[in-house]
Amino acid sequence: MAEEGQVISCHTVDAWKEQLQKGNESKKLVVVDFTASWCGPCRIIAPFLAELAKKLPHVTFIKVDVDELNSVATEFAVEAMPTFMLLKEGKIVDKVVGAKKDELQQTIAKHITSA
């Protein structure tokens, strides 16, 4: 299911837990994109996220639709879309709120180098 170099969409809580578990075990940086189908900025940044996933195969990118997985969004206190949570071993290490390409790229780079 999880392929390097692509964004993994989780449509069930079980799929989410499975991907999170894999991310924790691999000790990789996990970038979670909390998105929504009705969110314009989310659709605009999606191709950029896909490009990042291709460029950074050692980072796990997961997409979560807040309407599909409301409990997950609530658990992470997501209040705006898109919100990008950066996790290491299950712990939040950073977050970027909004479709801010430069900030997202810099934040990811910062946590890759600190790995």
Side-chain angles (χ1 to χ4, degrees):
M1 184 175 168
E3 307 249 347
E4 288 191 339
Q6 70 179 35
V7 180
I8 303 156
S9 293
C10 290
H11 299 286
T12 65
V13 172
D14 286 344
W16 159 252
K17 287 180 179 168
E18 181 186 335
Q19 291 305 326
L20 198 59
Q21 180 80 27
K22 283 182 184 174
N24 294 350
E25 288 169 2
S26 71
K27 298 191 177 3
K28 284 182 175 180
L29 178 65
V30 177
V31 178
V32 185
D33 172 14
F34 287 97
T35 186
S37 58
W38 45 263
C39 165
C42 299
R43 286 197 298 272
I44 290 166
I45 201 162
F48 178 74
L49 200 66
E51 282 301 308
L52 280 181
K54 280 185 193 139
K55 287 183 199 164
L56 305 169
H58 51 288
V59 177
T60 301
F61 289 86
I62 303 173
K63 184 177 286 202
V64 172
D65 185 311
V66 296
D67 294 322
E68 283 183 337
L69 301 182
N70 189 271
S71 62
V72 176
T74 302
E75 182 184 333
F76 282 86
V78 173
E79 295 174 346
M81 273 63 71
T83 293
F84 300 94
M85 294 284 183
L86 283 72
L87 307 161
K88 273 195 184 158
E89 296 181 49
K91 294 182 178 57
I92 298 170
V93 293
D94 223 325
K95 82 175 184 178
V96 175
V97 179
K100 302 172 187 157
K101 292 179 182 179
D102 292 342
E103 185 180 340
L104 179 61
Q105 197 163 6
Q106 288 164 2
T107 305
I108 291 170
K110 178 174 80 176
H111 290 285
I112 290 172
T113 54
S114 68

